[in-house]
């Protein structure tokens, strides 16, 4: 099995290549290393290789892991489903919260956040019934409502397109997310961050303007 160091180097090289190929600056997108289910020691290895941003999907796991790594200056991204009663675990620790889908979540986070908290809205670009993201048609109203919550700063959108064998098929979904952000910006929002792209499709997300790519398996190996 690849070491975390080798795997990270490989992912960073592919990220950089995709940015250059897209005519974007090499620092226009940043890597969020998705460490959910992996032990703190693996995160330490990644930090030792210069990785700063880490993604977690489960509030209690974040709460339990973060203190073990408190000395490392890790920036935590909460990328999972947000339960209001878990906001107390997420808000004090998160550098970004990627998956807001209800204004009540933003309110619960704001109540527990020590300072202004930057959030992204999860949009279901694939139109899948089972997905947690909001319907694109609901975006203008949710963006307006979340932007009005004191203590919350709405900075972007995230998506998880339907899985397809061929990652190129994610392209149109990423394009759609970028288009939705531009449309909200024309309405007065400042959605400058696009969180999109995972292990199998992040280079395609970069082509369509991703500013955060969330990559787990390619760095830490399969989750058990
Ligand atoms: C687990 C997860 C990832 C990472 O997925 P990989 O395929 O392992 O890269 C990215 N985003 C979200 C929202 C996740 O839950």
């Amino acid at each position: 099995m690849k070491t975390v160091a080798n795997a990270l180097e490989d992912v960073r090289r592919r990220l950089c290549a995709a940015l250059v190929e897209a005519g974007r600056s090499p620092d226009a997108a940043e890597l969020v290393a998705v460490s959910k289910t992996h032990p703190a020691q693996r995160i330490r290895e990644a930090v030792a290789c210069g990785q700063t941003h880490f993604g977690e999907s489960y509030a209690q796991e974040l709460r339990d892991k973060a203190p073990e790594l408190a000395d490392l200056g890790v920036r935590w991204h909460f990328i999972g489903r947000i339960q209001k009663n878990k906001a107390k675990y997420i808000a004090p620790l998160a550098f970004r919260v990627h998956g807001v889908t209800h204004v009540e979540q933003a309110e619960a986070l704001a109540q527990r956040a020590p300072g202004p908290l930057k959030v992204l809205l999860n949009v279901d670009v694939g139109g899948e019934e089972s997905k947690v993201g909001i319907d694109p048609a609901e975006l203008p109203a949710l963006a307006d409502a979340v932007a009005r919550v004191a203590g919350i700063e709405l900075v972007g959108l995230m998506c998880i397109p339907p899985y397809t064998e061929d990652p190129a098929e994610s392209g149109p979904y990423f394009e759609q997310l970028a288009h939705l952000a531009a449309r909200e910006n024309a309405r007065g929002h400042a959605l400058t961050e696009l969180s999109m792209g995972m292990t199998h499709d992040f280079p395609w997300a970069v082509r369509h303007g991703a500013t955060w790519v969330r990559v787990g398996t390619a760095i830490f190996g399969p989750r058990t």
Side-chain angles (χ1 to χ4, degrees):
M1 203 172 89
K2 266 195 214 169
T3 62
V4 168
N6 287 338
L8 251 181
E9 197 180 294
D10 191 48
V11 169
R12 288 218 191 96
R13 194 169 42 232
R14 291 172 62 208
L15 176 58
C16 189
L19 281 161
V20 169
E21 203 178 302
R24 302 177 63 198
S25 154
D27 59 4
E30 279 202 70
L31 177 62
V32 177
V34 177
S35 48
K36 65 181 183 224
T37 78
H38 296 292
Q41 179 52 34
R42 307 275 284 163
I43 298 175
R44 278 190 185 275
E45 285 171 53
V47 172
C49 302
Q51 181 64 30
T52 306
H53 297 277
F54 290 86
E56 290 284 339
S57 296
Y58 308 104
Q60 276 116 323
E61 186 180 348
L62 174 61
R63 174 201 60 184
D64 294 343
K65 263 185 202 170
E68 288 184 58
L69 299 159
D71 51 324
L72 298 183
V74 165
R75 300 216 148 141
W76 296 108
H77 293 243
F78 190 78
I79 61 173
R81 190 188 282 255
I82 303 154
Q83 295 171 272
K84 279 183 289 168
N85 61 343
K86 306 279 170 60
K88 58 180 179 286
Y89 304 142
I90 302 168
L93 292 166
F95 177 72
R96 291 285 186 282
V97 177
H98 290 228
V100 171
T101 53
H102 292 93
V103 68
E104 292 82 5
Q105 295 167 335
E107 287 163 354
L109 289 165
Q111 267 177 24
R112 301 288 188 153
L117 180 62
K118 293 185 170 156
V119 307
L120 294 80
L121 307 179
N122 181 353
V123 183
D124 176 14
V125 287
E128 292 171 290
E129 291 291 331
S130 59
K131 277 285 165 70
V132 289
I134 59 153
D135 189 289
E138 298 167 24
L139 178 59
L142 182 63
D144 292 352
V146 169
R148 276 195 298 266
V149 176
I152 293 291
E153 195 181 332
L154 176 60
V155 297
L157 303 180
M158 75 95 81
C159 72
I160 310 168
Y163 183 84
T164 49
E165 281 295 314
D166 180 1
E169 287 180 29
S170 294
Y173 296 113
F174 296 142
E175 198 178 349
Q176 190 193 348
L177 196 74
H179 173 77
L180 289 169
R183 212 181 62 187
E184 288 313 303
N185 292 343
R187 297 178 59 246
H189 289 290
L191 306 182
T192 57
E193 299 185 12
L194 295 175
S195 168
M196 54 191 197
M198 300 164 47
T199 287
H200 83 297
D201 58 10
F202 76 85
W204 279 266
V206 165
R207 276 179 211 170
H208 294 289
T211 66
W212 298 112
V213 294
R214 312 176 309 265
V215 178
T217 308
I219 297 169
F220 296 108
R223 290 177 287 274
T224 46

